[in-house]
Amino acid sequence: MASLDDLLHAAVQGVGGVERPGQVEMAHAVEDAVARDEHLLVQAGTGTGKSLAYLIPAVMHAQKTGKPAVVATATLALQAQIVDRDMPRLAESVAPLLGKRPTYGLVKGRRNYLCAHKLEGGFPDDEDGLFEVGEVDRAASRLGQEVVRLREWAETTESGDRDELVPGVSERAWRQVSVSAHECMGSKCPAFADCYVERSREAAKDCDVIVTNHSFMAIDSFEGRQMLPEHDLLVVDEAHELVDRVTSTITDEITPSMVAAAAKRAGRMAESTEAVDDASVFLQSVLDELPEGKLNGIPDALSLALARVRDTTRQVQSELKPEKGVEPDGARKVAQAAIDEMFENSSRILEQRDLDVVWVSRDQRRGSVLRVAPMSVAMLLRDKVFGDRTVVMTSATLELGGTFDAVAGTMGLRGEGAPQWRGLDVGSPFDYPQQAIAYVAQHLPAPGRDGLSEQTLDEIEALVRAAGGRTLGLFSSMRAAKEATEAMRERFDGDIGFLCQGEDQITTLVRQFARDPRTCLFGTLTLWQGVDVPGTACQLVIIDRIPFPRPDDPLSSARSQAIARMGGNGFMAVSATHAALRLSQGAGRLIRRADDRGVVAFLDSRMVTARYAGFLQRSLPPFWPTTDRERVLAALRRLDETAAPPVEVHEPALRGITGALVGTTMGGTGEDATEHPRPVADAPPPAESARTAVTSGHAWTAESDEELRDGVELGLSVDELAESLELPADVVAARLKGLGLEASGAATLSFE
């Protein structure tokens, strides 16, 4: 087998990148960790090229052992980058050295895919008569229109992957065509052979690299469902998010409306559903009397209400069991899943496990919600994730205060019995002081609880005007993001566009923002990490306030109190550390490549005045710091005036069974999927959308379009272009027409 250095060099050349010392160091560290069966924590700054640094050793290990390597990420954006951009180019580049082409696939949770059986009417609708409303009167509502569009898309999609659908649809509409893992009928389903989920997982078994998300990986590890193939190498990218994602995955909740809905689902299939309904009414009366926040113990009234939910649902569970030898239909499976969830969640809360935190919150739509989550997942991660495989954790932010200890502790890698691990910081290739300014608006009043002040809105307006748009606004709450969006739309009156999180799928909004420099994108937590908009479309990042957890956040307060009881500083260990990680991630949205320039503006004076300010500042990339407002505005104006056109945006495209793009080697189907591109005649019709860069089933990249332009300038014919690109001539001709190009027939040159 070729050496790691040879493969890495070929891959870097293939993606059009530049080999960096940190990337080489990280790749060798991953290879060593695998050889020694030792866990590795790698901090790799933006621009290091860390995905190639772990993908190359992962491919080598997979081809050597015959077992796949699993890569788990926190964001859809990074999953798409790996599957759509990194792995196709890597595979093409290293295939000659390896003697065979590396394979890859994308695996997600069941809710992310269409359910073939539900599409055929095998499950009851989640909204009464919704499909009928959509079919009979398309204009009746946005919901009805979305459902009709889902039906039409289902006729053409090969992957059934929700992220392929652009623009997206609401959660209510998506529920009409998907099922949860608990609702799924599994191998007994009449549509099992056509199941998108099963087909994607079966295809993944033969892949060298399987890409998934933190939550899916956690469920696979904790519940032993064997959703992922057997593997002994796990790479966790965006690892700073792992603890929160795992905590969220194993957080349970119960509401009176959920209990009532479970009773309704069971309907005429059980005789005891009236008792479940009564239990939901009793639970409602108890929860509504409890104050919001963490519960120190379970009050007697709540204990009684939960016991009633547990006991009544247990009775219905018995009644819902089908007769021996009879398989449950879709309606019964849905009812069983809903009843089981209420039984399990009420039982868990009543158990009052040592590490569990229970709290009440108020939801505008659902009313009182009772939630339970573990205060710490450290031991769970130690036992279930780090137990029997080599794990590589990587992120741009793993080291705080010059040590990995804080992050390692939350993952169960410290203390008695902890497994062996090594920490490594490979740095960043960027010249941060020369590329970016860190501006603190010290003159602004300290943030309050009453929304954004008029002075803060004035500051946002001045910064955005100076930047000419090009602004990513990161806010500490959705309320603040919406307030700022509405205020700026009114003040700018269409001169500059403003997008707000929640108005469409995040991926769609980010593409719109990246495409138009006179556009701003405002949002909250989701945008603080994973958003990758290099170039001039993003030259200003605004952070409205230090992102401390809310003082009444039940998990943070429980963790702080536990640390304080042991004599530690709960605020610094929990709240300040949380804020430092968020700030580092948020500020990291600005500089994504070596020629990026810009400003990160903090609208919170505590960044320079508070006693903990130094700790927070040290968590940031070493930008050039200032509080000089006029200098910053002048710098933004100069950047706007001299800005180059924005970087071309990679558009979504159709996916194959493995989750890879149709038209790429791994986007095909059948026996030849790993050897030849999918035949155009078999490809589903391309989406008729200006947002989808697909021609006859082939996803065109900026690089391949550039090759077409160069070829036309050289005088190549359509046939010669097709031969060079290894594509059918009609596909190339269609793309030439789309680009407004015309090829001659008189050339004798080649691309070689």
Side-chain angles (χ1 to χ4, degrees), residues 187-207:
S187 59
K188 308 298 183 184
C189 177
F192 185 75
D194 299 319
C195 178
Y196 293 106
V197 177
E198 297 302 329
R199 289 166 65 200
S200 73
R201 293 179 186 175
E202 188 61 32
K205 289 180 180 178
D206 297 322
C207 290

Side-chain angles (χ1 to χ4, degrees), residues 694-713:
V694 176
T695 301
S696 301
H698 178 75
W700 290 86
T701 65
E703 289 74 19
S704 51
D705 282 348
E706 209 49 45
E707 283 193 55
L708 283 183
R709 292 188 180 95
D710 291 343
V712 169
E713 286 182 13

Side-chain angles (χ1 to χ4, degrees), residues 11 25 31 46 90 98 104 134 207 252 316 405 411 423 426 580 670 676:
E25 184 181 9
E31 184 182 46
T46 306
L90 180 156
L98 291 173
Y104 55 95
C207 290
D252 289 323
V316 174
D405 287 351
M411 295 177 180
V426 299
H676 305 291

Side-chain angles (χ1 to χ4, degrees), residues 100-119:
K100 58 181 177 179
R101 188 185 302 273
T103 55
Y104 55 95
L106 180 65
V107 175
K108 303 179 185 178
R110 196 168 293 274
R111 268 291 190 197
N112 291 280
Y113 297 92
L114 290 172
C115 171
H117 189 40
K118 197 163 190 176
L119 283 166

